Amino acid sequence: MFIDHAAVYVEDLERGARFYEQYFGGVRGERYENPRTGFSSYFITFDGGNTRLEVMHNDAIARPVDRGARGYAHVAFNVGSRERVDELTAQLVADGYEKISGLRVTGDGYYESCILDAEGNVLESLKPELK
């Protein structure tokens, strides 16, 4: 058994998909649309298709991100090295995205930073440390 994909709702579907392509090397699949329900989405694949994130939009959903709410808290990307965590964090901040924590080594053994994506969702860029 394995997790097939995670999903995130966004206000602007094109901007949301572009963010994951630009900063995390995702590859966008075909757009799905259901005009009857106002739902549309893209599957973004990573790591040659082994990992997928569905970026979704629905005209009827207009809820702001509440980072203090119960439920899924963040998506974490293993970017391969401490240097890449540093570089990606610097690029995201330079491009106007908010860094909310890090750069740091966490108590559970990750070197990471956390940023907010284009919709205010929390993303971790990390590299597991050797213990």
Side-chain angles (χ1 to χ4, degrees):
M1 185 180 309
F2 62 92
I3 295 174
D4 183 79
H5 68 275
V8 62
Y9 270 111
V10 296
E11 180 68 27
D12 183 327
L13 183 61
E14 297 302 321
R15 179 179 68 185
R18 203 169 37 251
F19 177 87
Y20 291 98
E21 292 173 313
Q22 179 178 351
Y23 294 105
F24 295 96
V27 177
R28 183 187 321 200
E30 290 186 35
R31 181 180 175 124
Y32 169 78
E33 275 194 69
N34 184 330
R36 184 179 56 79
T37 63
F39 177 84
S40 55
S41 72
Y42 287 110
F43 275 99
I44 310 295
T45 60
F46 306 89
D47 190 29
N50 293 326
T51 305
R52 298 187 312 157
L53 178 67
E54 186 176 12
V55 179
M56 308 180 305
H57 172 79
N58 189 313
D59 294 334
I61 295 177
R63 62 183 162 93
V65 175
D66 180 357
R67 288 190 293 280
R70 292 180 189 227
Y72 294 103
H74 64 265
V75 174
F77 287 87
N78 183 334
V79 300
S81 70
R82 275 185 171 227
E83 293 77 20
R84 184 66 185 127
V85 172
D86 293 344
E87 292 166 0
L88 183 57
T89 301
Q91 182 64 57
L92 287 161
V93 170
D95 289 350
Y97 296 97
E98 181 181 353
K99 181 176 78 168
I100 60 172
S101 69
L103 302 157
R104 65 184 180 150
V105 175
T106 64
D108 57 353
Y110 290 93
Y111 180 71
E112 70 177 28
S113 72
C114 294
I115 59 99
L116 300 181
D117 73 4
E119 301 282 340
N121 300 298
V122 178
L123 299 178
E124 289 182 0
S125 299
L126 58 85
K127 168 65 176 106
E129 295 293 292
L130 298 175
K131 294 195 177 208

